[in-house]
Amino acid sequence: MSITATEFLSSKNPPPPHGVIVMYGPERFFRSEILHHLPGVSGEEAESAVTRLNGEHAEIREVMSELKTVSMFGDRRIVLIEDADDFVTANRPALEKYAASPAKGSLLILDVKSFPKTTKLYKLVDQHGLAVECAELTGANLLKWLQRVAKEQYGKDLDRESAALIVQLAGDGLGMLLQEV
């Protein structure tokens, strides 16, 4: 399944985590928000359940071993590979094989800048997992996001003109805008 970060975060019932989740696009703010919305990835239980690896140093053997090992501390094994562009490029065939048939009770999260829709891996993740596009928000989409966040997180109604003024004064960084609200 393919979904935008704003759709994922605003959904009352977000899609359940599948065997593979790929977060892609230029907006870093959405990545941390998505991770906070995934069960078992944030909070106290995450320290023992999540294996965080840097894509530059990750080895495919180590990743597959982690994913296939039964978790002693939780019901799911989670491997998060940050800055995984080079890792994906170097290990595409193995990742395609894994995406087609992921280990039960495991979740592989890939954080990449680019995830072309024409690749076999994208099509497999779209079919068996979850691809979340973390696109930059601009213009009307940015104002709508700001209004929605003000309403949902703080119970405040923010009209379009006020949202535009906040963006004008604080810039378009989502983290900064969230602080301003």
Side-chain angles (χ1 to χ4, degrees):
M1 165 186 263
S2 183
I3 190 170
T4 66
T6 54
E7 291 170 333
F8 181 87
L9 295 171
S10 66
S11 175
K12 300 286 186 234
N13 298 316
H18 297 78
V20 180
I21 295 178
V22 179
M23 301 179 296
Y24 67 98
E27 186 56 66
R28 304 273 330 147
F29 175 82
F30 284 137
R31 287 170 168 73
S32 62
E33 292 294 306
I34 290 166
L35 292 175
H36 287 298
H37 280 76
L38 293 173
V41 178
S42 63
E44 292 177 18
E45 70 275 2
E47 288 183 36
S48 60
V50 178
T51 301
R52 292 178 178 263
L53 301 169
N54 185 303
E56 265 185 49
H57 307 293
E59 296 288 330
I60 192 69
R61 270 190 329 268
E62 176 187 6
V63 170
M64 291 302 152
S65 175
E66 285 287 332
L67 290 168
K68 293 177 182 174
T69 303
V70 178
S71 177
M72 292 175 36
F73 302 106
D75 59 344
R76 146 178 307 201
R77 184 67 131 189
I78 302 169
V79 177
L80 168 62
I81 303 177
E82 298 168 325
D83 299 320
D85 291 282
D86 292 339
F87 177 80
V88 169
T89 300
N91 301 291
R92 190 171 299 279
L95 292 171
E96 290 169 352
K97 183 177 178 183
Y98 183 80
S101 181
K104 295 201 184 317
S106 293
L107 178 63
L108 173 62
I109 304 172
L110 298 171
D111 177 1
V112 294
K113 292 180 184 115
S114 174
F115 196 51
K117 295 179 180 182
T118 57
T119 63
K120 182 178 179 182
L121 182 58
Y122 181 94
K123 293 172 185 170
L124 286 167
V125 169
D126 191 32
Q127 184 178 5
H128 300 286
L130 182 63
V132 184
E133 182 180 10
C134 301
E136 290 181 335
L137 297 179
T138 58
N141 289 334
L142 179 61
L143 298 180
K144 287 178 188 175
W145 174 82
L146 193 57
Q147 290 173 299
R148 188 183 52 93
V149 167
K151 182 72 169 172
E152 290 176 1
Q153 291 187 14
Y154 302 104
K156 302 293 181 187
D157 287 322
L158 188 64
D159 61 44
R160 187 173 177 82
E161 292 77 27
S162 298
L165 182 60
I166 291 173
V167 170
Q168 181 182 5
L169 295 174
D172 60 359
L174 300 185
M176 182 63 78
L177 290 172
L178 192 58
Q179 287 178 350
E180 291 299 319
V181 170

mmCIF file of all heavy atoms in Angstrom, residues 118-145:
data_model
loop_
_atom_site.group_PDB
_atom_site.id
_atom_site.type_symbol
_atom_site.label_atom_id
_atom_site.label_comp_id
_atom_site.label_asym_id
_atom_site.label_seq_id
_atom_site.Cartn_x
_atom_site.Cartn_y
_atom_site.Cartn_z
ATOM 1 N N THR A 118 9.071 3.001 -10.188
ATOM 2 C CA THR A 118 9.267 2.090 -11.312
ATOM 3 C C THR A 118 10.077 0.848 -10.939
ATOM 4 O O THR A 118 10.202 -0.058 -11.753
ATOM 5 C CB THR A 118 10.002 2.821 -12.458
ATOM 6 O OG1 THR A 118 11.241 3.332 -11.949
ATOM 7 C CG2 THR A 118 9.154 3.942 -13.007
ATOM 8 N N THR A 119 10.595 0.786 -9.720
ATOM 9 C CA THR A 119 11.435 -0.351 -9.344
ATOM 10 C C THR A 119 10.591 -1.534 -8.884
ATOM 11 O O THR A 119 9.459 -1.379 -8.413
ATOM 12 C CB THR A 119 12.411 0.027 -8.210
ATOM 13 O OG1 THR A 119 11.651 0.373 -7.043
ATOM 14 C CG2 THR A 119 13.321 1.173 -8.616
ATOM 15 N N LYS A 120 11.171 -2.705 -8.985
ATOM 16 C CA LYS A 120 10.505 -3.927 -8.536
ATOM 17 C C LYS A 120 10.293 -3.886 -7.023
ATOM 18 O O LYS A 120 9.255 -4.322 -6.525
ATOM 19 C CB LYS A 120 11.350 -5.144 -8.929
ATOM 20 C CG LYS A 120 10.741 -6.462 -8.548
ATOM 21 C CD LYS A 120 11.603 -7.622 -9.018
ATOM 22 C CE LYS A 120 10.991 -8.955 -8.620
ATOM 23 N NZ LYS A 120 11.834 -10.080 -9.021
ATOM 24 N N LEU A 121 11.265 -3.327 -6.299
ATOM 25 C CA LEU A 121 11.150 -3.244 -4.844
ATOM 26 C C LEU A 121 9.955 -2.380 -4.442
ATOM 27 O O LEU A 121 9.198 -2.742 -3.539
ATOM 28 C CB LEU A 121 12.447 -2.709 -4.223
ATOM 29 C CG LEU A 121 12.459 -2.624 -2.700
ATOM 30 C CD1 LEU A 121 12.196 -3.983 -2.063
ATOM 31 C CD2 LEU A 121 13.793 -2.058 -2.223
ATOM 32 N N TYR A 122 9.777 -1.245 -5.118
ATOM 33 C CA TYR A 122 8.630 -0.388 -4.805
ATOM 34 C C TYR A 122 7.322 -1.159 -5.016
ATOM 35 O O TYR A 122 6.420 -1.115 -4.184
ATOM 36 C CB TYR A 122 8.628 0.881 -5.667
ATOM 37 C CG TYR A 122 7.470 1.788 -5.336
ATOM 38 C CD1 TYR A 122 7.629 2.813 -4.417
ATOM 39 C CD2 TYR A 122 6.210 1.614 -5.909
ATOM 40 C CE1 TYR A 122 6.571 3.646 -4.081
ATOM 41 C CE2 TYR A 122 5.145 2.434 -5.578
ATOM 42 C CZ TYR A 122 5.332 3.444 -4.665
ATOM 43 O OH TYR A 122 4.273 4.250 -4.326
ATOM 44 N N LYS A 123 7.234 -1.852 -6.132
ATOM 45 C CA LYS A 123 6.004 -2.595 -6.446
ATOM 46 C C LYS A 123 5.739 -3.697 -5.426
ATOM 47 O O LYS A 123 4.593 -3.921 -5.031
ATOM 48 C CB LYS A 123 6.084 -3.152 -7.863
ATOM 49 C CG LYS A 123 6.070 -2.042 -8.901
ATOM 50 C CD LYS A 123 6.341 -2.550 -10.294
ATOM 51 C CE LYS A 123 6.423 -1.350 -11.255
ATOM 52 N NZ LYS A 123 6.898 -1.719 -12.561
ATOM 53 N N LEU A 124 6.788 -4.362 -4.952
ATOM 54 C CA LEU A 124 6.620 -5.398 -3.933
ATOM 55 C C LEU A 124 6.206 -4.801 -2.591
ATOM 56 O O LEU A 124 5.343 -5.347 -1.902
ATOM 57 C CB LEU A 124 7.915 -6.208 -3.786
ATOM 58 C CG LEU A 124 8.203 -7.180 -4.923
ATOM 59 C CD1 LEU A 124 9.636 -7.692 -4.852
ATOM 60 C CD2 LEU A 124 7.208 -8.337 -4.900
ATOM 61 N N VAL A 125 6.817 -3.687 -2.215
ATOM 62 C CA VAL A 125 6.438 -3.028 -0.954
ATOM 63 C C VAL A 125 5.005 -2.517 -1.062
ATOM 64 O O VAL A 125 4.216 -2.653 -0.116
ATOM 65 C CB VAL A 125 7.422 -1.889 -0.606
ATOM 66 C CG1 VAL A 125 6.896 -1.046 0.541
ATOM 67 C CG2 VAL A 125 8.794 -2.459 -0.266
ATOM 68 N N ASP A 126 4.635 -1.961 -2.200
ATOM 69 C CA ASP A 126 3.273 -1.471 -2.410
ATOM 70 C C ASP A 126 2.260 -2.621 -2.287
ATOM 71 O O ASP A 126 1.164 -2.444 -1.776
ATOM 72 C CB ASP A 126 3.175 -0.801 -3.778
ATOM 73 C CG ASP A 126 1.881 -0.037 -3.969
ATOM 74 O OD1 ASP A 126 1.348 0.505 -2.973
ATOM 75 O OD2 ASP A 126 1.382 0.012 -5.106
ATOM 76 N N GLN A 127 2.645 -3.791 -2.745
ATOM 77 C CA GLN A 127 1.760 -4.950 -2.730
ATOM 78 C C GLN A 127 1.717 -5.636 -1.361
ATOM 79 O O GLN A 127 0.650 -6.020 -0.896
ATOM 80 C CB GLN A 127 2.221 -5.951 -3.786
ATOM 81 C CG GLN A 127 1.335 -7.160 -3.937
ATOM 82 C CD GLN A 127 1.834 -8.090 -5.034
ATOM 83 O OE1 GLN A 127 2.909 -7.874 -5.617
ATOM 84 N NE2 GLN A 127 1.074 -9.113 -5.316
ATOM 85 N N HIS A 128 2.871 -5.783 -0.702
ATOM 86 C CA HIS A 128 2.954 -6.570 0.526
ATOM 87 C C HIS A 128 3.225 -5.748 1.780
ATOM 88 O O HIS A 128 3.120 -6.283 2.888
ATOM 89 C CB HIS A 128 4.064 -7.627 0.404
ATOM 90 C CG HIS A 128 3.855 -8.586 -0.703
ATOM 91 N ND1 HIS A 128 2.932 -9.591 -0.656
ATOM 92 C CD2 HIS A 128 4.462 -8.689 -1.916
ATOM 93 C CE1 HIS A 128 2.977 -10.293 -1.778
ATOM 94 N NE2 HIS A 128 3.895 -9.754 -2.567
ATOM 95 N N GLY A 129 3.635 -4.499 1.635
ATOM 96 C CA GLY A 129 4.029 -3.696 2.786
ATOM 97 C C GLY A 129 3.375 -2.329 2.748
ATOM 98 O O GLY A 129 2.229 -2.176 2.327
ATOM 99 N N LEU A 130 4.140 -1.328 3.147
ATOM 100 C CA LEU A 130 3.634 0.035 3.212
ATOM 101 C C LEU A 130 4.728 1.005 2.788
ATOM 102 O O LEU A 130 5.822 1.002 3.357
ATOM 103 C CB LEU A 130 3.177 0.349 4.640
ATOM 104 C CG LEU A 130 2.578 1.704 4.905
ATOM 105 C CD1 LEU A 130 1.282 1.895 4.114
ATOM 106 C CD2 LEU A 130 2.293 1.887 6.394
ATOM 107 N N ALA A 131 4.442 1.826 1.771
ATOM 108 C CA ALA A 131 5.353 2.874 1.322
ATOM 109 C C ALA A 131 4.730 4.213 1.721
ATOM 110 O O ALA A 131 3.602 4.516 1.326
ATOM 111 C CB ALA A 131 5.554 2.806 -0.189
ATOM 112 N N VAL A 132 5.448 4.987 2.525
ATOM 113 C CA VAL A 132 4.932 6.260 3.025
ATOM 114 C C VAL A 132 5.762 7.397 2.438
ATOM 115 O O VAL A 132 6.956 7.515 2.726
ATOM 116 C CB VAL A 132 4.962 6.329 4.563
ATOM 117 C CG1 VAL A 132 4.330 7.623 5.044
ATOM 118 C CG2 VAL A 132 4.272 5.122 5.176
ATOM 119 N N GLU A 133 5.122 8.236 1.628
ATOM 120 C CA GLU A 133 5.812 9.358 1.002
ATOM 121 C C GLU A 133 5.834 10.553 1.948
ATOM 122 O O GLU A 133 4.795 11.054 2.368
ATOM 123 C CB GLU A 133 5.125 9.758 -0.305
ATOM 124 C CG GLU A 133 5.834 10.888 -1.008
ATOM 125 C CD GLU A 133 5.168 11.306 -2.305
ATOM 126 O OE1 GLU A 133 4.052 10.849 -2.587
ATOM 127 O OE2 GLU A 133 5.794 12.103 -3.024
ATOM 128 N N CYS A 134 7.038 11.000 2.278
ATOM 129 C CA CYS A 134 7.242 12.131 3.178
ATOM 130 C C CYS A 134 7.610 13.360 2.347
ATOM 131 O O CYS A 134 8.763 13.797 2.331
ATOM 132 C CB CYS A 134 8.338 11.808 4.190
ATOM 133 S SG CYS A 134 7.985 10.359 5.187
ATOM 134 N N ALA A 135 6.630 13.893 1.641
ATOM 135 C CA ALA A 135 6.854 15.028 0.743
ATOM 136 C C ALA A 135 6.822 16.343 1.525
ATOM 137 O O ALA A 135 6.161 16.451 2.563
ATOM 138 C CB ALA A 135 5.785 15.046 -0.351
ATOM 139 N N GLU A 136 7.544 17.328 1.001
ATOM 140 C CA GLU A 136 7.494 18.664 1.595
ATOM 141 C C GLU A 136 6.124 19.276 1.343
ATOM 142 O O GLU A 136 5.531 19.082 0.280
ATOM 143 C CB GLU A 136 8.573 19.549 0.983
ATOM 144 C CG GLU A 136 9.971 19.148 1.398
ATOM 145 C CD GLU A 136 11.033 20.050 0.788
ATOM 146 O OE1 GLU A 136 10.792 20.651 -0.278
ATOM 147 O OE2 GLU A 136 12.109 20.136 1.388
ATOM 148 N N LEU A 137 5.638 20.005 2.304
ATOM 149 C CA LEU A 137 4.352 20.682 2.158
ATOM 150 C C LEU A 137 4.586 22.137 1.792
ATOM 151 O O LEU A 137 5.451 22.804 2.371
ATOM 152 C CB LEU A 137 3.563 20.609 3.465
ATOM 153 C CG LEU A 137 3.167 19.219 3.938
ATOM 154 C CD1 LEU A 137 2.414 19.305 5.260
ATOM 155 C CD2 LEU A 137 2.322 18.509 2.897
ATOM 156 N N THR A 138 3.821 22.619 0.835
ATOM 157 C CA THR A 138 3.911 24.016 0.422
ATOM 158 C C THR A 138 2.507 24.547 0.164
ATOM 159 O O THR A 138 1.560 23.775 -0.007
ATOM 160 C CB THR A 138 4.742 24.173 -0.866
ATOM 161 O OG1 THR A 138 4.148 23.375 -1.896
ATOM 162 C CG2 THR A 138 6.190 23.738 -0.663
ATOM 163 N N GLY A 139 2.395 25.846 0.128
ATOM 164 C CA GLY A 139 1.150 26.501 -0.258
ATOM 165 C C GLY A 139 -0.053 26.064 0.552
ATOM 166 O O GLY A 139 -0.012 25.986 1.775
ATOM 167 N N ALA A 140 -1.133 25.762 -0.149
ATOM 168 C CA ALA A 140 -2.398 25.414 0.489
ATOM 169 C C ALA A 140 -2.283 24.142 1.328
ATOM 170 O O ALA A 140 -2.905 24.036 2.389
ATOM 171 C CB ALA A 140 -3.488 25.254 -0.562
ATOM 172 N N ASN A 141 -1.480 23.179 0.867
ATOM 173 C CA ASN A 141 -1.305 21.936 1.636
ATOM 174 C C ASN A 141 -0.653 22.199 2.980
ATOM 175 O O ASN A 141 -1.007 21.584 3.983
ATOM 176 C CB ASN A 141 -0.487 20.919 0.843
ATOM 177 C CG ASN A 141 -1.243 20.353 -0.322
ATOM 178 O OD1 ASN A 141 -2.472 20.307 -0.323
ATOM 179 N ND2 ASN A 141 -0.527 19.919 -1.335
ATOM 180 N N LEU A 142 0.298 23.112 3.020
ATOM 181 C CA LEU A 142 0.965 23.471 4.266
ATOM 182 C C LEU A 142 -0.022 24.138 5.220
ATOM 183 O O LEU A 142 -0.072 23.814 6.408
ATOM 184 C CB LEU A 142 2.148 24.397 3.988
ATOM 185 C CG LEU A 142 2.934 24.889 5.196
ATOM 186 C CD1 LEU A 142 3.540 23.715 5.954
ATOM 187 C CD2 LEU A 142 4.024 25.862 4.758
ATOM 188 N N LEU A 143 -0.838 25.038 4.709
ATOM 189 C CA LEU A 143 -1.826 25.725 5.552
ATOM 190 C C LEU A 143 -2.868 24.744 6.083
ATOM 191 O O LEU A 143 -3.248 24.804 7.260
ATOM 192 C CB LEU A 143 -2.508 26.850 4.774
ATOM 193 C CG LEU A 143 -1.590 27.973 4.275
ATOM 194 C CD1 LEU A 143 -2.388 29.022 3.512
ATOM 195 C CD2 LEU A 143 -0.813 28.606 5.416
ATOM 196 N N LYS A 144 -3.330 23.829 5.243
ATOM 197 C CA LYS A 144 -4.311 22.817 5.685
ATOM 198 C C LYS A 144 -3.714 21.933 6.777
ATOM 199 O O LYS A 144 -4.378 21.601 7.758
ATOM 200 C CB LYS A 144 -4.760 21.954 4.505
ATOM 201 C CG LYS A 144 -5.683 22.667 3.556
ATOM 202 C CD LYS A 144 -6.038 21.753 2.392
ATOM 203 C CE LYS A 144 -6.804 22.517 1.333
ATOM 204 N NZ LYS A 144 -7.062 21.691 0.137
ATOM 205 N N TRP A 145 -2.444 21.532 6.596
ATOM 206 C CA TRP A 145 -1.782 20.710 7.599
ATOM 207 C C TRP A 145 -1.706 21.456 8.929
ATOM 208 O O TRP A 145 -2.010 20.893 9.986
ATOM 209 C CB TRP A 145 -0.380 20.324 7.133
ATOM 210 C CG TRP A 145 0.411 19.590 8.166
ATOM 211 C CD1 TRP A 145 0.350 18.262 8.463
ATOM 212 C CD2 TRP A 145 1.366 20.159 9.079
ATOM 213 N NE1 TRP A 145 1.203 17.962 9.488
ATOM 214 C CE2 TRP A 145 1.847 19.104 9.892
ATOM 215 C CE3 TRP A 145 1.858 21.443 9.289
ATOM 216 C CZ2 TRP A 145 2.792 19.305 10.889
ATOM 217 C CZ3 TRP A 145 2.805 21.641 10.277
ATOM 218 C CH2 TRP A 145 3.256 20.583 11.062
#
